[in-house]
Amino acid sequence: MSLAPELLRILVCPKSKAPLEYHAGPPEVLVCRESKLVYKVQDGIPVMLIEEAEPLDEAVYPPAPSAS
C-alpha cells in the first residue's frame, strides 16, 4: 500500500518540521534526514509519534541521488 501523493506533500517531521522522504519498503517508512528519524507506516497510516520513531540508519535508507 502506498501513501497518497497529496498526503506526502503536506506531511512534515513532527520534531524538526522538515520534509519527509517516502520509502515504499518493505517496510514502508517515512524518513527525516534533519532529525535522523524513521517513522513507520502501518496499514497505510503514518505513525508520526516522535517517541515511536527509530534512529535513521543511512546504510538502510541511503539519501536519494541528487539531480545534477
Side-chain angles (χ1 to χ4, degrees), residues 23-64:
H23 289 261
E28 190 176 16
V29 297
L30 295 167
V31 174
C32 178
R33 300 271 167 212
E34 189 169 316
S35 297
K36 299 192 182 322
L37 293 173
V38 177
Y39 298 94
K40 294 179 185 176
V41 177
Q42 296 178 337
D43 298 321
I45 301 169
V47 180
M48 303 301 295
L49 301 171
I50 297 168
E51 58 273 7
E52 296 214 11
E54 297 179 359
L56 173 61
D57 179 349
E58 291 199 0
V60 176
Y61 304 108

Side-chain angles (χ1 to χ4, degrees), residues 2-12 20 30 44-46:
S2 68
L3 296 176
E6 302 82 28
L7 181 60
L8 291 173
R9 281 194 293 273
I10 62 171
L11 280 178
V12 295
L20 298 166
L30 295 167
I45 301 169

